[in-house]
Amino acid sequence: MTVEVDQAERQGQHPKGHSMQQESPTGRRGRNKQRAPKVTKGEIESSSSSRMDSVSIETFEYQPAYSARWNLTTGDWALLVAISLAAVAVRCYRLSNPGNVVFDEVHFGKFAGKYLNRTWFYDLHPPLAKLMYAAAGHVAGYDGVFDFKQIGLDYAAAGVPYVGMRLLPALLGALTVPATYATARACGYGMDTGVLAALLVCVENGLVTQSRLILLDSPLVFFTVLALLSWAMFWTQQQHAYSRAWWAWLVATGAMVGCAASCKWVGLFLLPAIGLSTIGDLWDKIADRSLTPARWLGHFWARALALMLVPALVYVAWFHVHFTMLSKTSDDALGMTPEFQASLQGGRQVSTDRDVFYGSEIRMRTTHARSGYLHSHAHAWQHAKGSGQQQ
């Protein structure tokens, strides 16, 4: 809203001709003794109408800050091919070095072998990245026998196709480079900015190192970058709400968030990042007069389903694959419930009746022992040492 003030008021004059200049305290006291002039009702109405005539109101249309729709040009394709080749060269150079078990390869290489042997194991991380390494090992010819039990073990001496397994994180790390370029372009930046961002990711020492080893970080970063790329592409479709591309990028964002969380739980930090952006977008849409309340609710529920339900479904789906593949018992299964152990091939088949009646005789077994029962009787203790029967 713009307010225009009369020229008389800017020059210090009252609209009716009275001076508005400051008087000295003595002058004010002198004037207070005089009777104030009478102002008629007509003069008040005339003064009010003259002031209203000097006020003008300007309205502004709602203009959302969406990125323009981005279409790949010939120059974009050429740059994507060039930076992709550079990323592959950086991450695959001498991938076989070192030829020994390094750092957490001792864990995640072993878990890949467990999947291939379908043997139950317990790990604190979600299963997706480990399932991907199992698939890479299967394609490379890994039989799951080598147990990765110690850092420094020689891969070549054991005949482990470790280069094929390391190729997976290397390629995923290389793909994050063109994805970074596409994300910058989808956010409205020029080709030069996109190339700069991609090159920074391409040669960053930490990203290069973790993408050359059998670790969970490279798949995690890959799905995180894809989630941000999908979200940026979704914003370019905001002027085409509910179109196929709009739905595709929105659902893809939720699916990539679910995959990132299925690699490591730190992937869940994508939820507040994208969630805050969603809240700001929905808040801005309240000012859009072209949106009815029902249509605004449609935007709300579409985002809620795609960004909350879809990640949860993806996360649960990968755990379903995890439990389906691990069907054989192992020492790790001893810490699980008797019912779960009984569900595994080769697991202990024990009775798990739960109804206990008055007068029943109960025997309780320790959870970490294969034999012996906890029991009591009325006999006096006669031995200096224990009975060996867990009394």
Side-chain angles (χ1 to χ4, degrees):
M1 181 177 67
T2 304
V3 180
E4 300 177 356
V5 184
D6 290 341
Q7 184 69 20
E9 290 182 346
R10 287 198 296 267
Q11 294 178 352
Q13 298 293 329
H14 190 271
K16 298 302 294 181
H18 302 290
S19 174
M20 298 179 63
Q21 296 179 354
Q22 185 177 2
E23 299 178 350
S24 64
T26 306
R28 279 201 303 271
R29 285 195 297 268
R31 285 194 58 187
N32 288 338
K33 296 179 180 180
Q34 300 177 1
R35 188 173 181 179
K38 292 183 179 181
V39 181
T40 63
K41 181 177 181 182
E43 291 177 344
I44 296 177
E45 292 178 352
S46 176
S47 175
S48 300
S49 62
S50 64
R51 291 189 178 184
M52 291 300 296
D53 291 340
S54 64
V55 177
S56 62
I57 300 176
E58 295 181 4
T59 59
F60 299 91
E61 294 294 333
Y62 170 71
Q63 296 181 352
Y66 300 148
S67 301
R69 201 168 186 174
W70 174 56
N71 296 315
L72 283 170
T73 63
T74 304
D76 286 320
W77 281 113
L79 288 173
L80 283 172
V81 172
I83 60 180
S84 298
L85 292 176
V88 171
V90 170
R91 280 159 174 76
C92 294
Y93 175 71
R94 299 185 64 183
L95 191 60
S96 59
N97 186 36
N100 308 89
V101 178
V102 178
F103 189 48
D104 276 354
E105 287 185 336
V106 71
H107 300 297
F108 306 122
K110 174 180 64 178
F111 294 148
K114 296 280 190 180
Y115 278 119
L116 294 177
N117 295 325
R118 306 179 70 86
T119 304
W120 168 259
F121 69 90
Y122 171 80
D123 182 48
L124 57 89
H125 295 294
L128 176 55
K130 292 171 289 188
L131 286 168
M132 296 173 67
Y133 283 121
H138 177 72
V139 172
Y142 174 50
D143 56 8
V145 175
F146 185 73
D147 56 4
F148 295 83
K149 65 179 180 180
Q150 184 178 351
I151 295 176
L153 290 179
D154 191 351
Y155 283 126
V160 180
Y162 68 101
V163 176
M165 298 180 69
R166 285 179 178 176
L167 188 61
L168 172 66
L171 293 179
L172 295 180
L175 288 175
T176 59
V177 177
T180 302
Y181 173 84
T183 303
R185 294 286 284 132
C187 290
Y189 295 100
M191 291 183 180
D192 51 350
T193 305
V195 171
L196 176 61
L199 290 179
L200 290 175
V201 174
C202 180
V203 299
E204 204 282 320
N205 189 50
L207 294 176
V208 172
T209 301
Q210 69 185 15
S211 63
R212 293 171 55 87
L213 300 172
I214 306 173
L215 304 175
L216 304 184
D217 303 272
S218 186
L220 169 67
V221 173
F222 172 72
F223 288 117
T224 300
V225 172
L226 286 190
L228 297 177
L229 171 60
S230 300
W231 185 242
M233 292 299 296
F234 167 74
W235 273 76
T236 65
Q237 302 293 327
Q238 289 281 37
Q239 299 295 341
H240 308 275
Y242 303 109
S243 64
R244 290 184 178 180
W246 187 89
W247 276 111
W249 289 117
L250 180 60
V251 174
T253 301
M256 292 303 101
V257 171
C259 288
S262 298
C263 293
K264 294 181 79 171
W265 281 345
V266 294
L268 292 174
F269 282 105
L270 282 168
L271 290 177
I274 295 177
L276 290 175
S277 176
T278 302
I279 292 173
D281 179 31
L282 293 175
W283 178 261
D284 289 339
K285 279 181 168 35
I286 296 177
D288 189 354
R289 297 183 178 180
S290 65
L291 283 181
T292 63
R295 194 169 179 83
W296 186 91
L297 285 175
H299 279 278
F300 171 82
W301 285 115
R303 287 159 175 78
L305 293 175
L307 301 178
M308 297 180 67
L309 180 61
V310 171
L313 292 177
V314 170
Y315 185 83
V316 173
W318 287 119
F319 265 100
H320 175 73
V321 176
H322 168 80
F323 286 110
T324 301
M325 290 191 63
L326 302 181
S327 58
K328 299 179 181 180
T329 190
S330 67
D331 291 340
D332 290 346
L334 296 177
M336 309 302 291
T337 62
E339 294 87 350
F340 182 82
Q341 295 182 49
S343 68
L344 299 174
Q345 298 178 17
R348 292 191 300 112
Q349 302 296 323
V350 296
S351 175
T352 57
D353 295 338
R354 301 188 183 282
D355 296 330
V356 179
F357 301 96
Y358 180 77
S360 299
E361 182 177 332
I362 301 175
R363 291 185 176 182
M364 296 180 293
R365 182 171 182 165
T366 59
T367 58
H368 298 289
R370 293 181 177 271
S371 62
Y373 292 88
L374 294 173
H375 66 282
S376 61
H377 48 75
H379 299 167
W381 188 255
Q382 301 293 335
H383 307 284
K385 296 181 179 180
S387 65
Q389 299 180 7
Q390 304 186 45
Q391 289 175 309

